Amino acid sequence: MSYLIALIPALGWGFMPLITGKIGGSTINQMFGIGAGASIVGIIAFLIGHPSVSTGAFWFSIVCGALWTIGQIGQFVSFKRMGVSNTIPLSTVFQLVGNSLIGVIIFGEWRGARALTIGFIALLVVIIGALMTSITDGSSDKKVTVQNFFFLLVTTIGYWVYSAFPKLPVVSNEDPLGVFLPEMLGILLGSVIYTIASGHLNAFKQKKQYLNILGGLSWGIAALAYIFAGRALGVTVAFVMTQMNVIIATIGGIFILNEHKTGRELTFTIIGILLIVLGSVGTIFA
């Protein structure tokens, strides 16, 4: 049962970009949908579980959730520029490499020569996999350009902050279920701030603003399941299982969202995905 629960994050995070891609709408529509849907899941989980959370951790979690929106906005913009099948593998690699380096440099993970060697070899495999998924024959307008590459890389900073925050002293001893709701509310707050700052308040009158809540529900359920999977199997094993979302989102982008790839591009993409998953698994041995 624990392993079935651990598959929910992979499914939820894998299907989210496919759901929002099918629904369509602007980045603002999609971002609000994620925030609203995730908040609904957070409120339901809070009412059922009645977890405790300190005032400081509550507000800190809201801020971290709002910062997460930077990464998600970067993803949604990149979906439109490069396509889901190109964006997800790169985004996954940026998150994995960045989070690993933060863990090593700031939190002292991968201690010793053996751990560092295994960890960095695994990251190298992941990077090679990402480069292979980015190979293009130039037959599509949605391709990985230098500009698109660095835009996605810079916005991934939001994901790095979000991933690092559970390890910070202010929340490290809190109940993960307790900080879940304020995190989700922070994501909603960040999406509203983005809407206002963009000057597109008319988005709240658009149907797709609310249809994209379906994508937010998928994301929120996945995030909630990840908490329970981490408790049952350990964070390391649970994280590795979530990497299956790369397979779902990338293949789904090609066959469900009809993102064109030549036979050669598809071959390199599949090999690249396998390397990303292999490298991700390899990091647990570091």
Side-chain angles (χ1 to χ4, degrees), residues 188-256:
L188 178 59
L189 175 63
S191 69
V192 172
I193 292 174
Y194 175 59
T195 302
I196 296 174
S198 301
H200 291 94
L201 291 177
N202 63 316
F204 289 106
K205 300 178 181 179
Q206 297 170 353
K207 183 179 180 180
K208 290 182 178 178
Q209 182 90 339
Y210 304 99
L211 286 177
N212 274 292
I213 290 177
L214 294 173
L217 292 173
S218 176
W219 191 93
I221 291 171
L224 179 61
Y226 182 66
I227 292 175
F228 292 100
R231 285 178 174 177
L233 302 174
V235 174
T236 302
V237 175
F239 173 77
V240 169
M241 293 194 69
T242 66
Q243 299 311 295
M244 290 180 62
N245 81 86
V246 182
I247 300 174
I248 296 170
T250 305
I251 300 301
I254 296 170
F255 294 104
I256 296 178

Side-chain angles (χ1 to χ4, degrees), residues 67-68 71 91-102 107 152-166:
L67 290 174
W68 177 90
S91 180
T92 299
V93 169
F94 291 158
Q95 291 177 62
L96 181 63
V97 173
N99 292 338
S100 297
L101 292 178
I102 289 172
F107 299 108
L152 182 61
L153 176 60
V154 170
T155 54
T156 302
I157 292 173
Y159 285 145
W160 294 341
V161 172
Y162 178 81
S163 296
F165 108 94

Side-chain angles (χ1 to χ4, degrees), residues 20-104:
T20 57
K22 271 296 185 182
I23 293 173
S26 66
T27 299
I28 291 173
N29 296 150
Q30 294 170 329
M31 195 61 246
F32 175 82
I34 296 298
S39 293
I40 291 172
V41 175
I43 291 171
I44 293 173
F46 194 87
L47 292 175
I48 294 175
H50 298 289
S52 61
V53 58
S54 66
T55 302
F58 182 90
W59 290 109
F60 185 74
S61 299
I62 285 181
V63 172
C64 288
L67 290 174
W68 177 90
T69 60
I70 297 173
Q72 190 58 55
I73 289 169
Q75 249 195 28
F76 280 136
V77 171
S78 297
F79 288 162
K80 299 182 184 303
R81 292 180 178 179
M82 300 188 292
V84 171
S85 59
N86 284 328
T87 300
I88 289 297
L90 279 179
S91 180
T92 299
V93 169
F94 291 158
Q95 291 177 62
L96 181 63
V97 173
N99 292 338
S100 297
L101 292 178
I102 289 172
V104 171

